[in-house]
């Protein structure tokens, strides 16, 4: 039955087609001509040959198609009479206009792409970076994100300085650069900026003795003083010592009359002009104390921020012997195997003091936890109280990503990112809390793990041991020149390294881990390795030191983009 119905339908369609063909003797070309909306009804038949008829038919078909499309787009512009008398020139003009518009849009798109700043945009705490064509690499940032910015805080060339002589400035300022090496570095940059704001002469800052390390390093034991003064000679007057006419030099350290102590944190430039400058004009020499974070970022002129970058990236150079030793360490890291290899620098902030100050909970024995509680009670009695509230606080801080990463957590994160077991890693850190037991997971997963003590001989480092800040300077330079820099917690060291690497062109990766993601994932017993890897890779694609959009109250030490870098 199915076959019979099928045959009948085929037969009926064939019969209908034959009947239609018999009823209409018009040729196919004539049908096309008659149906064309551009052809008049009384068009005479052509006496030409078949080729001419075919050509005219194709022309009429093309005009019909164009007319139909134009009518569909602009029905209001075509009356019956207009459709009949449309000219080819009008169609050509319309096509040319479309081509022109498309060309303008294409050129505009290309120009915008070439001028794109490649800034990563912040949406709350989420960072959105532009997609780039280059294949993701373990050892370098995509070059496309670096093409629009260049450093521009260096000393201007050919500019005539209008800086007054030492005796013609408003007076002298003197500061103690407190804390560790990197905190001292920031204080020195701020001191130069404040001297510029008040048109004062800066006495070479003193590096205050560290109460923990009992370090007595002087400015000239770490930095090249001659280069520092010479490089800034067109910006600020700097002298090596207190002037000879000021006899009681100890008064600068002890006298209240010679000290300004009421400077608020992140003070604006106007505060110094209104409150500090009058006292300097009166006393001629004043000490500013304390001087940690005593100058803001978004409340000072852009040229002052640029001056701070000039000090940080160009004027402050370590002594030649420190630079040379650091270069040797970098060379040894690259040539630890047969060929020249890239290497990673890891700033592992897991010293006892950092662990205690974080008030986070870490894996350990009962004895270890009890000893840490005693240590916290001794060092921070007001915060510790009886310790009963710390457990909930520790859980909250870990969830928010405010706890230092343990060595084992760092190892798992790096493996998830794709770094192989053979990766060469330079560790910059103090004494790790928990010793070798705490370091074991990291060493097991990355056996090519070394410190400066393992790269250099005892004799080579003995010359630097008398100044603790000299050893910190070696770590600073090796991390700065590494192919990949990884931080595990905040602090001035990591902040300055990331900012410096950004300033040098963003090509070097500077990984800033999402500690909240790592802690949350490692605490999830149901998360598989594949899911963890995907989360880590996707999240950290935009946490590699790419240019970021600046915002109010930003920190130029970590993100020097706008004030200190210019469009290439």
């Amino acid at each position: 039955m199915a076959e019979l119905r099928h045959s009948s339908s085929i037969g009926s369609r064939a019969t209908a087609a034959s009947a239609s063909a018999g009823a209409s003797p018009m040729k196919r070309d004539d049908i096309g001509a008659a149906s064309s909306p551009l052809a008049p009804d009384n068009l005479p038949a052509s006496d030409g040959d078949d080729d001419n008829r075919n050509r005219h038919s194709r022309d009429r078909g093309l005009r019909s198609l164009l007319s139909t499309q134009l009518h569909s787009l602009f029905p209001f512009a075509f009356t019956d009479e207009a459709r009949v008398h449309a000219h080819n020139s009008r169609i050509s003009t319309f096509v040319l206009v479309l081509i022109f518009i498309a060309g303008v849009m294409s050129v505009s798109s290309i120009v915008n792409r070439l001028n794109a700043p490649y800034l990563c945009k912040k949406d709350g705490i989420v960072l959105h970076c532009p997609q780039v064509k280059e294949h993701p690499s373990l050892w370098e940032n995509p070059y496309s994100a670096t093409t629009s910015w260049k450093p521009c805080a260096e000393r201007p060339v050919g500019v005539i300085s209008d800086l007054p002589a030492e005796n013609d400035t408003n007076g002298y300022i003197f500061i103690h650069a407190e804390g560790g090496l990197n905190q001292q570095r920031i204080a020195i940059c701020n001191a130069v900026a404040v001297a510029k704001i008040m048109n004062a002469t800066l006495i070479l800052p003193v590096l205050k003795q560290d109460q923990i390390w009992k370090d007595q390093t002087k400015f000239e034991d770490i930095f090249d003083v001659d280069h520092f003064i010479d490089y800034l000679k067109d910006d600020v007057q700097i002298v090596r010592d207190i002037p000879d006419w000021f006899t009681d030099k100890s008064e600068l350290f002890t006298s209240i009359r010679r000290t300004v102590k009421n400077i608020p944190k992140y003070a604006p430039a106007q505060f110094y002009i209104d409150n500090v400058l009058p006292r300097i004009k009166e006393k001629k020499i004043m000490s500013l104390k304390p001087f940690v974070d005593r100058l803001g970022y978004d409340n000072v002129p852009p040229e002052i921020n640029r001056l701070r970058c000039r000090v940080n990236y160009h004027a402050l150079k370590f002594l030649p012997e420190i630079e040379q030793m650091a270069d040797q360490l970098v060379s040894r890291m690259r040539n630890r195997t047969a060929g020249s290899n890239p290497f990673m620098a890891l700033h592992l902030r897991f010293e006892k003091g950092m662990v205690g100050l974080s008030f986070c909970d870490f894996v350990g024995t009962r004895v270890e936890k009890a000893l840490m509680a005693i240590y916290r009670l001794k060092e921070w009695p007001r915060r510790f109280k009886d310790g009963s509230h710390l457990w909930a606080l520790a859980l909250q801080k870990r969830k928010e990503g405010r706890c230092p990463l343990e060595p084992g957590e760092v190892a798992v994160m790096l493996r998830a990112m794709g770094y192989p077991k053979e990766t060469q890693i330079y560790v910059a850190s103090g004494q790790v809390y928990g010793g070798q037991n705490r370091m074991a997971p990291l060493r097991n997963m990355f056996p090519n793990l070394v410190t400066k003590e393992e790269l250099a001989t005892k004799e080579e480092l003995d010359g630097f041991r008398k100044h603790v800040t000299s050893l910190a300077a070696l770590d600073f330079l090796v991390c700065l020149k590494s192919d990949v820099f990884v931080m595990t917690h905040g602090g001035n060291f990591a902040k300055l390294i990331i900012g410096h690497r950004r300033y040098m062109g963003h090509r070097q990766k500077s990984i800033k881990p999402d500690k909240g993601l790592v802690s949350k994932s490692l605490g999830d017993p149901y998360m598989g390795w594949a899911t963890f890897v995907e989360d880590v890779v996707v999240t950290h694609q935009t946490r590699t030191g790419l240019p970021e959009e600046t915002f109010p109250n930003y920190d130029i030490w970590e993100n020097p983009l706008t004030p200190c870098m210019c469009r290439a």
Side-chain angles (χ1 to χ4, degrees):
M1 292 297 292
E3 293 176 358
L4 181 60
R5 285 195 299 271
H6 179 66
S7 301
S8 300
S9 64
I10 293 177
S12 62
R13 284 197 299 270
T15 303
S18 300
S20 175
S24 179
M26 296 177 63
K27 295 181 181 179
R28 186 177 302 168
D29 293 338
D30 296 334
I31 295 173
S35 62
S36 174
L38 295 180
D41 294 337
N42 57 352
L43 187 67
S46 175
D47 294 332
D49 55 13
D50 291 341
D51 291 337
N52 288 335
R53 284 197 302 270
N54 290 336
R55 185 173 67 253
H56 291 315
S57 298
R58 286 193 298 269
D59 292 341
R60 287 195 297 270
L62 178 60
R63 289 197 299 271
S64 173
L65 178 61
L66 289 174
S67 177
T68 302
Q69 294 297 324
L70 291 174
H71 178 68
S72 65
L73 291 173
F74 307 102
F76 55 85
F78 288 87
T79 62
D80 293 339
E81 184 178 354
R83 285 199 300 271
V84 173
H85 298 286
H87 298 289
N88 290 339
S89 60
R90 191 172 297 177
I91 298 174
S92 301
T93 302
F94 178 75
V95 173
L96 288 175
V97 169
L98 289 179
I99 294 175
F100 177 77
I101 294 175
V104 170
M105 293 177 64
S106 299
V107 171
S108 176
S109 176
I110 293 173
V111 170
N112 289 336
R113 184 169 181 83
L114 291 176
N115 290 331
Y118 293 104
L119 282 175
C120 296
K121 303 293 183 180
K122 281 192 173 180
D123 182 10
I125 63 172
V126 179
L127 198 63
H128 301 284
C129 293
Q131 293 184 352
V132 292
K133 293 181 179 179
E134 287 78 1
H135 185 73
S137 169
L138 288 175
W139 296 104
E140 59 187 15
N141 266 329
Y143 287 168
S144 292
T146 70
T147 55
S148 295
W149 296 92
K150 66 176 182 178
C152 63
E154 61 269 18
R155 181 172 59 184
V157 179
V159 177
I160 300 176
S161 174
D162 58 352
L163 194 67
E166 175 185 339
N167 296 331
D168 295 330
T169 60
N170 290 321
Y172 295 80
I173 61 171
F174 179 80
I175 69 146
H176 276 111
E178 303 173 353
L181 172 64
N182 299 288
Q183 191 171 338
Q184 291 171 348
R185 189 183 188 101
I186 293 175
I188 293 168
C189 296
N190 287 339
V192 173
V194 167
K196 180 69 173 179
I197 290 171
M198 298 188 295
N199 189 24
T201 298
L202 175 65
I203 301 171
L204 197 68
V206 169
L207 307 186
K208 188 177 180 181
Q209 297 182 11
D210 190 278
Q211 298 301 317
I212 298 176
W213 299 102
K214 306 299 182 184
D215 188 26
Q216 300 183 17
T217 304
K218 298 179 181 178
F219 191 103
E220 56 268 26
D221 295 330
I222 297 293
F223 300 109
D224 188 332
V225 178
D226 293 332
H227 175 78
F228 178 74
I229 295 176
D230 180 69
Y231 197 89
L232 298 172
K233 64 182 180 182
D234 295 332
D235 295 299
V236 177
Q237 284 286 358
I238 303 175
V239 295
R240 290 175 177 267
D241 204 352
I242 300 171
D244 294 334
W245 55 263
F246 190 76
T247 55
D248 191 4
K249 296 184 179 182
S250 62
E251 187 180 353
L252 275 179
F253 300 91
T254 58
S255 174
I256 297 179
R257 294 183 297 109
R258 293 283 182 180
T259 303
V260 181
K261 288 189 174 183
N262 59 343
I263 303 174
K265 212 170 184 181
Y266 303 115
Q270 195 62 39
F271 177 89
Y272 285 91
I273 295 174
D274 295 339
N275 300 279
V276 182
L277 182 57
R279 298 192 64 184
I280 293 177
K281 288 182 176 180
E282 177 190 357
K283 300 293 184 181
K284 291 303 179 185
I285 295 182
M286 293 295 294
S287 174
L288 309 183
K289 182 181 179 181
F291 200 70
V292 178
D293 297 325
R294 299 295 153 176
L295 184 62
Y297 303 107
D298 61 330
N299 50 17
V300 300
E303 58 269 20
I304 295 299
N305 280 332
R306 194 172 299 115
L307 175 59
R308 288 198 275 190
C309 290
R310 187 175 305 141
V311 179
N312 188 31
Y313 302 125
H314 300 282
L316 275 178
K317 288 186 64 177
F318 292 111
L319 291 175
E321 52 266 33
I322 296 177
E323 297 269 2
Q324 292 169 7
M325 188 67 231
D327 288 339
Q328 290 186 38
L329 295 176
V330 170
S331 177
R332 292 171 188 177
M333 280 300 302
R334 297 195 188 282
N335 296 283
R336 294 188 69 226
T337 56
S340 179
N341 296 303
F343 75 96
M344 173 188 294
L346 174 63
H347 184 223
L348 192 59
R349 287 206 77 187
F350 207 74
E351 305 90 351
K352 183 178 181 180
M354 177 52 60
V355 171
L357 181 61
S358 71
F359 280 88
C360 294
D361 184 67
F362 299 96
V363 176
T365 64
R366 289 185 178 181
V367 174
E368 192 176 36
K369 290 178 181 290
L371 292 175
M372 175 55 67
I374 295 173
Y375 173 72
R376 285 171 172 168
L377 177 60
K378 177 183 177 182
E379 296 294 330
W380 303 280
R382 291 185 179 181
R383 288 186 61 188
F384 187 83
K385 299 178 183 178
D386 60 354
S388 59
H389 67 293
L390 293 179
W391 176 247
L393 177 64
L395 291 177
Q396 182 65 23
K397 294 185 70 172
R398 182 168 290 277
K399 184 185 299 184
E400 295 173 354
R402 294 191 289 141
C403 294
L405 290 179
E406 296 189 46
E409 292 175 323
V410 176
V412 175
M413 181 192 70
L414 293 178
R415 277 295 184 85
M417 289 180 179
Y419 290 98
K421 183 179 181 179
E422 297 75 23
T423 301
Q424 304 289 329
I425 300 180
Y426 178 92
V427 178
S429 72
Q431 184 65 38
V432 174
Y433 174 68
Q436 293 303 317
N437 289 336
R438 186 77 63 171
M439 286 291 293
L442 180 58
R443 285 193 177 276
N444 289 339
M445 298 183 75
F446 293 96
N448 294 322
L449 198 75
V450 293
T451 62
K452 57 182 173 293
E453 288 78 12
E454 296 170 299
L455 280 178
T457 64
K458 181 180 180 299
E459 291 73 23
E460 287 176 320
L461 294 181
D462 280 344
F464 301 95
R465 294 187 191 280
K466 59 182 178 181
H467 301 300
V468 175
T469 46
S470 296
L471 296 175
L474 292 177
D475 280 341
F476 184 93
L477 289 172
V478 175
C479 289
L480 188 64
K481 298 176 181 181
S482 64
D483 298 279
V484 172
F485 171 71
V486 181
M487 60 170 285
T488 61
H489 200 48
N492 290 320
F493 184 96
K495 184 189 303 182
L496 287 168
I497 291 290
I498 291 177
H500 207 137
R501 290 162 72 91
R502 275 182 169 142
Y503 185 79
M504 292 191 300
H506 311 292
R507 286 176 171 81
Q508 298 170 303
K509 269 193 174 183
S510 302
I511 299 176
K512 190 174 182 178
D514 187 334
K515 296 179 291 182
L517 171 72
V518 174
S519 298
K520 177 183 176 182
S521 301
L522 294 181
D524 185 354
Y526 301 104
M527 178 172 284
W529 176 250
T531 304
F532 176 70
V533 168
E534 182 180 3
D535 288 351
V536 169
V537 170
V538 171
T539 301
H540 290 86
Q541 284 178 347
T542 58
R543 302 178 70 92
T544 58
L546 290 174
E548 291 183 17
E549 184 181 19
T550 54
F551 52 93
N553 298 314
Y554 64 87
D555 191 330
I556 63 172
W557 313 118
E558 184 175 351
N559 189 22
L561 187 68
T562 303
C564 307
M565 302 183 73
C566 306
R567 295 289 294 273

